[in-house]
């Protein structure tokens, strides 16, 4: 029998969750087709603000990747907006003319940002805040700095404002009401919030009514009713949302503010359901995910023919996702005749807490500055518990209940089983605890994967970790010696020591002697072992390419579409007309789509087809280029400035030294990547003080720095010491890198290793112990004999051919 | 040249593939990755990770599994399924050895 056809309009968070439940409950009931106006998969809209603030990437907030749709046989039309529902024919039609028949239809069109129709509202530079395109447009606008004005001081407006400020813009928030976030906060908390944001450099104007956006060609300024004019290069309107019921209305369904549905998410047409922000149930439209997820579950039930769990209104809690600001609000906190309140303020600590009570029950809570008790209060609100007995200590939070103060762990222990830990995904304590026990979970990531707790906005991560500690007891100890991977109980340091002590010289030998628990290791331990062996036995060990990550195996960086990028060395960042011409020719010849100057003073060619790599390298090699190892846990770049060659401040030949170091050290493998720089004077134009190793040239010689970072972490370098000559500089630099090569754990950058070993210890060995320094230097020089071979020219002349060619190409007829 | 043996196609010799490695077989727009484990078993999977279509042929092969090069999902060569907490599966194809000759069938193995 053919399956019923389920068509969904909109691919936001609500229908995504609905499908997850449907596939669990009735996996084979429907053929599912989704039309989404946004040209992408389902992502976590809540997390757009961290993306805007630069704290997360789009990839990290995808909920269902393409594979998920493929796996469930879902046909997803990206970038297809539905323009008509024909209820008689039971079909929908997209703007591109695609027509799809349905047996059941779900409308999940979300909502649209409200735009105040003041003059100038459609000038270039006026944006709303709803989807990834908006975020990308804001990030683009923020690149040039400038002034941004955000209209609306609610949750979205403030998150946008904080994000833009993070991106370096000067930000003013214009808010109509007297205090910020008046829907979630009372005036006291609104004031504290405003003060905090202002102290960070944001300008906040309350009781401010926008009259006009000033052009004429693009946004130039914003004019308020009282005549004030605020300079603006970018205006964000975040003044509210409107449920998107247009399609439903045109199809003749009942639509008020939103699309009217019953407690089972059915619209006025029994074959059409609606979920999400566009739906209106019992007269209410919702704008937070918790109730939308409940709608999603109910709709999945309905589609599976189960009517046992109708939608129930429940209060929701909100947090503001601005890093460093803690606020939490839940329930109803308006003042009233029949209500009492309990307030706690701690001015020095910037804490404000207020509970609203009615008939001895908590009905609302606003917390500012300290929000750990939020979920506990929220629980009291939801359960309607009588609090007469704990009234005296209630405001101090859960830890104070039952006499003496408890530690935070005890507080978590005392939470009832049904206490909600993750508000976004509605995960309660018992679910987390029982999943940890039944599935034997040991890491936060596991818990996220299996329960979804802390997997959306992440604000409950601390609680989840406490629960893990509670459940796993001593065995959950994030600081314990980490085994390399699940194939062994030994940590990296032990393995390194044993490789030398027992003279282990091949991967199988290591695994045998150190009693590996798997037959041939895994993708974590094999690359590490391969590096340790390359480093410790340079002349004897035969590199095991099958244990290298693809980039190091084929000497290029894999891209998200399976093509590769090619970055040749440009010694010290210096190039020539001939080199540039050769690059231009290669780009033309192989139709390479993108050529980019990297952050490491050289040129990246991106989007090269794998089959073309050897030929590309062959051509580059003829022009004198060698591999830049942009893919390697090895020496990457040595950035330089122009130094005494040209600069009026230069004290030494920084360019020359940089080139010398790069030519001396290229090709060496290291535990993690190594980046260096040489600046000609303390103005430091080569940014040497955030590198793994850096040199600042001064009149009296060369100041050597190490252990800096500017990637996932930012850390200024430590000074290793001052030396007089270039030769000495080279020797010291090489020695410290060799020390790192011999001691660090695989994937550990220099700054982490140095912190672990101690800066003083490193200084002592490299600066004071001449003999030891010399020995490190010599060992490096020895290993370079085997490492300094250009991998590109080897492959251009045929090595590892199998990596670049298919084994067979089948003719299409063969398949018949 | 690909000789046909019933519905089995000859696609190469086992020694064309490095141990704990893979090679690709192209078929129209589709690519099938043929894997060889450390103990000389062979498997064939569509060269597409169930996560975000990463080329599995480029991954590290270990213990009957391959780790995808893009985001480290671990896919079972036997079933094509993601292991651990990840969920998803890629199509597997029947493949067998006739001596050292690798024979592949283009009828996807049943996925349940
Ligand atoms: C191309 C480039 C960006 C650009 O267009 O400018 C780049 C591109 C990538 N970087 Fe980078 N990084 C580039 C400069 C940097 C810099 C700046 C610098 O080197 O001065 C940094 C910060 C400095 C630092 O490392 O401390 C940087 C910090 C990172 C990190 C974070 C490393 C960390 O330990 O904190 C990663 C992730 C990692 O390595 O795990 C990363 C990873 C990557 C990867 C390899 C992502 C990946 O795994 O595929 C990107 C490869 C793209 C490709 O295929 O070409 N990239 N990356 C730059 C290449 C420089 C070069 O010529 O070799
Ligand atoms: C920046 C930001 C921060 C937020 N923070 C929080 C928070 O901290 N906590 C919280 O609970 N909630 C938060 N929210 C709200 C939450 O994201 C939304 O409530 C939720 O995403 C709504 O889900 P939905 O599925 O109803 O609609 P949406 O996710 O809006 O999805 C609707 C989709 O339908 C598509 N569509 C519309 N019309 C058509 C058509 N005719 N044809 C085809 N497709 C169509 C749209 O392109 C869109 O992709 C935030 C929202 C934003 C924008
Ligand atoms: S190039 Fe670097 S910064 Fe840019 S996306 Fe890739 S890893 Fe991130
Ligand atoms: S594509 Fe394979 S892990 Fe992401």
């Amino acid at each position: 029998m053919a399956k019923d056809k389920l068509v969904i309009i909109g691919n936001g968070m609500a229908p995504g969750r609905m499908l997850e439940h449907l596939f669990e409950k009735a996996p084979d009931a429907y053929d599912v087709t989704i039309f989404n106006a946004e040209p992408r998969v389902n992502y976590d809209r809540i997390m757009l603000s961290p993306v805007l603030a630069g704290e997360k990437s789009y990839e990290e907030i995808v909920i269902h990747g393409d594979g998920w749709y493929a796996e469930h046989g879902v046909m997803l039309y990206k970038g297809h907006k539905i323009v008509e529902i024909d209820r008689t024919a039971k079909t929908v039609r997209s703007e591109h003319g695609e027509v799809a028949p349905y047996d059941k239809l779900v409308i999940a069109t979300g909502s649209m940002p409200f735009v105040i129709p003041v003059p100038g509202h459609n000038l270039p530079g006026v944006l709303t805040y709803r989807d990834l395109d908006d975020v990308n447009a804001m990030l683009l606008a923020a690149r040039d700095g400038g002034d941004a004005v955000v209209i609306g001081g609610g949750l979205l407006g403030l998150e946008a404002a904080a994000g833009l400020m993070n991106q370096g813009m000067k930000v003013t928030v214009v808010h109509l009401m007297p205090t910020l976030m008046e829907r979630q906060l009372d005036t006291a908390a609104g004031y504290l919030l405003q003060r905090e944001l202002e102290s960070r450099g944001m300008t906040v104007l309350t009781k401010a009514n926008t009259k006009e956006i000033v052009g004429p060609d693009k946004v130039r300024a914003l004019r308020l009713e009282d005549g004030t004019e605020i300079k603006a290069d970018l205006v964000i309107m975040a003044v509210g949302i409107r449920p998107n019921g247009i399609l439903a209305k045109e199809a003749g369904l009942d639509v008020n503010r939103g699309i009217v549905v019953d407690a089972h998410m059915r619209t006025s047409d029994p074959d059409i359901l609606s979920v999400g922000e566009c739906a209106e149930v019992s007269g209410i439209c919702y704008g937070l995910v918790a109730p939308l997820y409940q709608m999603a579950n109910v709709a999945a039930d309905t589609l599976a023919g189960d009517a046992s769990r109708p939608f129930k209104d429940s209060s929701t809690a909100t947090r503001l996702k601005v890093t460093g600001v803690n606020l939490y609000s839940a329930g109803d906190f308006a003042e009233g005749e029949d209500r009492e309140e309990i307030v706690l303020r701690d001015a020095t600590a910037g804490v404000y807490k207020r509970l609203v009570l009615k008939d001895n029950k908590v009905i609302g809570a606003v917390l500012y500055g300290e929000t750990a008790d939020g979920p506990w209060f929220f629980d009291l609100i939801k359960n309607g518990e009588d609090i007469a007995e704990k009234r005296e200590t209630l405001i101090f939070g859960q830890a104070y209940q039952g006499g003496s103060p408890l530690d935070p762990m005890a507080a978590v222990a005392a939470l009832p089983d049904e206490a909600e830990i993750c508000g976004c995904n509605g995960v309660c304590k018992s679910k987390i605890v029982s999943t940890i026990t039944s599935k034997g979970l040991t890491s936060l990531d596991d818990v996220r994967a299996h329960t979804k707790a802390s997997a959306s906005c992440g604000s409950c991560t601390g609680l989840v970790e406490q629960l893990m500690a509670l459940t796993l007891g001593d065995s959950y100890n994030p600081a314990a010696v980490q085994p390399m991977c699940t194939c062994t109980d030994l940590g990296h340091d032990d393995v390194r020591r044993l490789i030398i002590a027992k003279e282990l010289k091949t991967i199988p030998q290591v695994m045998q002697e150190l009693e590996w628990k798997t037959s041939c290791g895994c993708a974590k331990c094999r690359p590490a072992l391969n590096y340790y062996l390359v480093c410790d036995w340079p002349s004897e060990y035969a590199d095991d390419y099958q244990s290298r990550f693809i980039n190091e195996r084929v000497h290029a960086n894999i891209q998200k579409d399976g093509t590769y990028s090619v970055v040749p060395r440009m010694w010290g960042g210096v190039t020539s007309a001939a080199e540039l011409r050769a690059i231009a020719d290669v780009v033309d010849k192989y139709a390479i789509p993108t050529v980019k100057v990297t952050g490491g003073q050289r040129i990246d060619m991106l989007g090269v087809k794998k089959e073309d790599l050897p030929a590309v390298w062959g051509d580059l090699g003829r022009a004198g280029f060698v591999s830049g190892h942009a893919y390697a846990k090895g020496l990457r770049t040595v950035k330089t400035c122009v130094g005494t060659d040209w600069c009026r401040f230069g004290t030494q030949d920084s360019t020359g030294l940089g080139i010398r170091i790069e030519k001396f050290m290229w090709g060496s493998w290291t535990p993690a990547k190594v980046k260096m720089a040489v600046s000609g004077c303390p103005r430091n134009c080569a940014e040497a003080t955030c590198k793994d190793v850096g040199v600042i040239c001064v009149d009296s010689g060369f100041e050597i720095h190490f252990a800096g970072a500017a990637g996932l972490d930012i850390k200024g370098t430590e000074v290793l010491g001052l030396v007089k000559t270039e030769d000495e500089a080279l020797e010291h630099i090489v020695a410290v890198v060799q020390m790192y090569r011999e001691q660090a754990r695989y994937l550990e950058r220099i700054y982490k290793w140095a912190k672990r070993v101690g800066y003083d210890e490193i200084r002592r060995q490299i600066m004071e112990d001449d003999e030891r320094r010399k020995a490190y230097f010599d060992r490096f020089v020895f290993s370079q004999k085997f490492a300094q071979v250009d991998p590109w020219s080897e492959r251009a002349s045929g090595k590892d051919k199998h990596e670049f060619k298919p084994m067979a190409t089948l003719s299409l007829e063969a398949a018949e | 040249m690909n000789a046909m043996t019933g519905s089995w196609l000859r696609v190469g010799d086992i020694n064309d593939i490095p141990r704990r490695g893979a090679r690709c077989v192209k078929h129209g727009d589709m690519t099938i990755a043929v894997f060889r484990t450390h103990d000389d078993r062979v498997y064939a999977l569509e060269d597409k990770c169930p996560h975000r279509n990463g080329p599995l042929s480029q991954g590290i092969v270990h213990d009957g599994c391959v780790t995808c090069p893009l985001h480290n999902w671990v896919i079972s060569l036997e079933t094509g399924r993601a292991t651990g907490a990840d969920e998803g599966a890629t199509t597997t194809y029947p493949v067998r050895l006739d001596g050292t000759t690798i024979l592949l069938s283009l009828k996807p193995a049943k996925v349940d």
Side-chain angles (χ1 to χ4, degrees), chain A residues 3 15 169 190 230 276 350 361 388 423 461 504 569 718 738 748 785:
Chain A
K3 289 194 225 171
M169 295 193 85
I230 312 161
K361 288 177 185 145
T461 304
L504 306 177
R569 267 191 201 284
E718 305 290 323
Q738 179 66 15
E748 186 176 49
K785 274 209 267 189

mmCIF file of all heavy atoms in Angstrom, chain A residues 3 15 169 190 230 276 350 361 388 423 461 504 569 718 738 748 785:
data_model
loop_
_atom_site.group_PDB
_atom_site.id
_atom_site.type_symbol
_atom_site.label_atom_id
_atom_site.label_comp_id
_atom_site.label_asym_id
_atom_site.label_seq_id
_atom_site.Cartn_x
_atom_site.Cartn_y
_atom_site.Cartn_z
ATOM 1 N N LYS A 3 2.220 4.817 0.897
ATOM 2 C CA LYS A 3 2.144 5.559 2.156
ATOM 3 C C LYS A 3 1.404 6.869 1.942
ATOM 4 O O LYS A 3 1.405 7.420 0.834
ATOM 5 C CB LYS A 3 3.557 5.882 2.625
ATOM 6 C CG LYS A 3 4.315 4.691 3.117
ATOM 7 C CD LYS A 3 5.529 5.185 3.868
ATOM 8 C CE LYS A 3 6.772 4.419 3.496
ATOM 9 N NZ LYS A 3 7.968 5.013 4.040
ATOM 10 N N PRO A 15 8.736 22.146 13.292
ATOM 11 C CA PRO A 15 8.502 20.930 12.496
ATOM 12 C C PRO A 15 9.668 19.955 12.592
ATOM 13 O O PRO A 15 9.468 18.736 12.494
ATOM 14 C CB PRO A 15 8.334 21.460 11.073
ATOM 15 C CG PRO A 15 8.957 22.803 11.063
ATOM 16 C CD PRO A 15 8.772 23.353 12.449
ATOM 17 N N MET A 169 31.372 47.346 16.528
ATOM 18 C CA MET A 169 30.595 48.533 16.174
ATOM 19 C C MET A 169 30.251 49.332 17.423
ATOM 20 O O MET A 169 30.230 48.814 18.527
ATOM 21 C CB MET A 169 29.300 48.147 15.442
ATOM 22 C CG MET A 169 29.544 47.492 14.098
ATOM 23 S SD MET A 169 28.058 47.374 13.095
ATOM 24 C CE MET A 169 28.016 48.971 12.288
ATOM 25 N N GLY A 190 15.453 45.633 35.052
ATOM 26 C CA GLY A 190 15.670 46.343 33.793
ATOM 27 C C GLY A 190 16.726 47.424 33.957
ATOM 28 O O GLY A 190 17.586 47.627 33.098
ATOM 29 N N ILE A 230 20.724 60.445 15.615
ATOM 30 C CA ILE A 230 21.824 59.537 15.983
ATOM 31 C C ILE A 230 22.453 59.015 14.709
ATOM 32 O O ILE A 230 21.765 58.497 13.835
ATOM 33 C CB ILE A 230 21.300 58.330 16.778
ATOM 34 C CG1 ILE A 230 20.360 58.784 17.897
ATOM 35 C CG2 ILE A 230 22.446 57.509 17.339
ATOM 36 C CD1 ILE A 230 19.474 57.687 18.423
ATOM 37 N N GLY A 276 4.206 25.714 15.746
ATOM 38 C CA GLY A 276 5.234 26.742 15.803
ATOM 39 C C GLY A 276 4.668 28.122 16.066
ATOM 40 O O GLY A 276 3.526 28.275 16.510
ATOM 41 N N GLY A 350 25.872 43.211 42.809
ATOM 42 C CA GLY A 350 25.008 43.404 41.644
ATOM 43 C C GLY A 350 23.946 42.327 41.526
ATOM 44 O O GLY A 350 23.630 41.869 40.439
ATOM 45 N N LYS A 361 1.788 30.590 47.016
ATOM 46 C CA LYS A 361 2.441 29.892 45.915
ATOM 47 C C LYS A 361 3.284 30.882 45.133
ATOM 48 O O LYS A 361 2.917 32.046 45.027
ATOM 49 C CB LYS A 361 1.403 29.281 44.965
ATOM 50 C CG LYS A 361 0.710 28.109 45.567
ATOM 51 C CD LYS A 361 -0.343 27.583 44.645
ATOM 52 C CE LYS A 361 -1.105 26.479 45.365
ATOM 53 N NZ LYS A 361 -2.516 26.460 45.007
ATOM 54 N N ALA A 388 4.460 27.916 52.286
ATOM 55 C CA ALA A 388 4.320 28.542 53.595
ATOM 56 C C ALA A 388 5.495 28.177 54.509
ATOM 57 O O ALA A 388 6.049 29.027 55.200
ATOM 58 C CB ALA A 388 3.001 28.129 54.226
ATOM 59 N N GLY A 423 15.559 23.688 29.855
ATOM 60 C CA GLY A 423 14.268 24.273 29.522
ATOM 61 C C GLY A 423 13.964 24.186 28.035
ATOM 62 O O GLY A 423 12.835 23.944 27.630
ATOM 63 N N THR A 461 24.483 23.928 31.107
ATOM 64 C CA THR A 461 25.644 23.043 31.080
ATOM 65 C C THR A 461 26.190 22.754 32.478
ATOM 66 O O THR A 461 26.499 21.616 32.826
ATOM 67 C CB THR A 461 26.756 23.644 30.207
ATOM 68 O OG1 THR A 461 26.209 23.890 28.922
ATOM 69 C CG2 THR A 461 27.935 22.705 30.081
ATOM 70 N N LEU A 504 60.288 0.994 21.229
ATOM 71 C CA LEU A 504 59.225 0.515 20.346
ATOM 72 C C LEU A 504 59.283 1.313 19.049
ATOM 73 O O LEU A 504 59.312 2.543 19.086
ATOM 74 C CB LEU A 504 57.874 0.688 21.028
ATOM 75 C CG LEU A 504 57.783 0.051 22.419
ATOM 76 C CD1 LEU A 504 56.437 0.339 23.064
ATOM 77 C CD2 LEU A 504 58.041 -1.446 22.329
ATOM 78 N N ARG A 569 54.569 27.456 -0.173
ATOM 79 C CA ARG A 569 55.370 28.321 0.689
ATOM 80 C C ARG A 569 55.735 29.608 -0.018
ATOM 81 O O ARG A 569 56.052 29.610 -1.208
ATOM 82 C CB ARG A 569 56.667 27.619 1.085
ATOM 83 C CG ARG A 569 56.497 26.899 2.366
ATOM 84 C CD ARG A 569 57.720 26.367 3.020
ATOM 85 N NE ARG A 569 57.240 25.325 3.905
ATOM 86 C CZ ARG A 569 56.634 25.541 5.082
ATOM 87 N NH1 ARG A 569 56.502 26.762 5.556
ATOM 88 N NH2 ARG A 569 56.182 24.532 5.800
ATOM 89 N N GLU A 718 55.436 34.424 26.226
ATOM 90 C CA GLU A 718 56.381 34.591 27.338
ATOM 91 C C GLU A 718 57.738 34.889 26.712
ATOM 92 O O GLU A 718 58.017 34.444 25.594
ATOM 93 C CB GLU A 718 56.505 33.282 28.126
ATOM 94 C CG GLU A 718 55.192 32.727 28.637
ATOM 95 C CD GLU A 718 54.616 33.576 29.756
ATOM 96 O OE1 GLU A 718 55.413 34.093 30.577
ATOM 97 O OE2 GLU A 718 53.383 33.733 29.799
ATOM 98 N N GLN A 738 62.432 21.748 19.346
ATOM 99 C CA GLN A 738 62.759 20.325 19.469
ATOM 100 C C GLN A 738 62.327 19.810 20.848
ATOM 101 O O GLN A 738 61.787 18.712 20.978
ATOM 102 C CB GLN A 738 64.255 20.074 19.242
ATOM 103 C CG GLN A 738 64.689 18.622 19.383
ATOM 104 C CD GLN A 738 64.096 17.700 18.311
ATOM 105 O OE1 GLN A 738 63.570 18.164 17.293
ATOM 106 N NE2 GLN A 738 64.154 16.390 18.546
ATOM 107 N N GLU A 748 48.786 19.012 21.130
ATOM 108 C CA GLU A 748 48.931 20.023 22.177
ATOM 109 C C GLU A 748 49.799 21.165 21.634
ATOM 110 O O GLU A 748 50.958 20.946 21.285
ATOM 111 C CB GLU A 748 49.591 19.365 23.387
ATOM 112 C CG GLU A 748 49.698 20.215 24.619
ATOM 113 C CD GLU A 748 50.303 19.416 25.803
ATOM 114 O OE1 GLU A 748 51.347 18.763 25.610
ATOM 115 O OE2 GLU A 748 49.733 19.451 26.895
ATOM 116 N N LYS A 785 67.088 15.787 8.104
ATOM 117 C CA LYS A 785 67.639 15.071 6.948
ATOM 118 C C LYS A 785 66.576 14.205 6.292
ATOM 119 O O LYS A 785 66.583 13.981 5.094
ATOM 120 C CB LYS A 785 68.776 14.144 7.415
ATOM 121 C CG LYS A 785 70.102 14.822 7.497
ATOM 122 C CD LYS A 785 71.232 13.823 7.257
ATOM 123 C CE LYS A 785 71.683 13.290 8.596
ATOM 124 N NZ LYS A 785 72.846 12.491 8.641
#
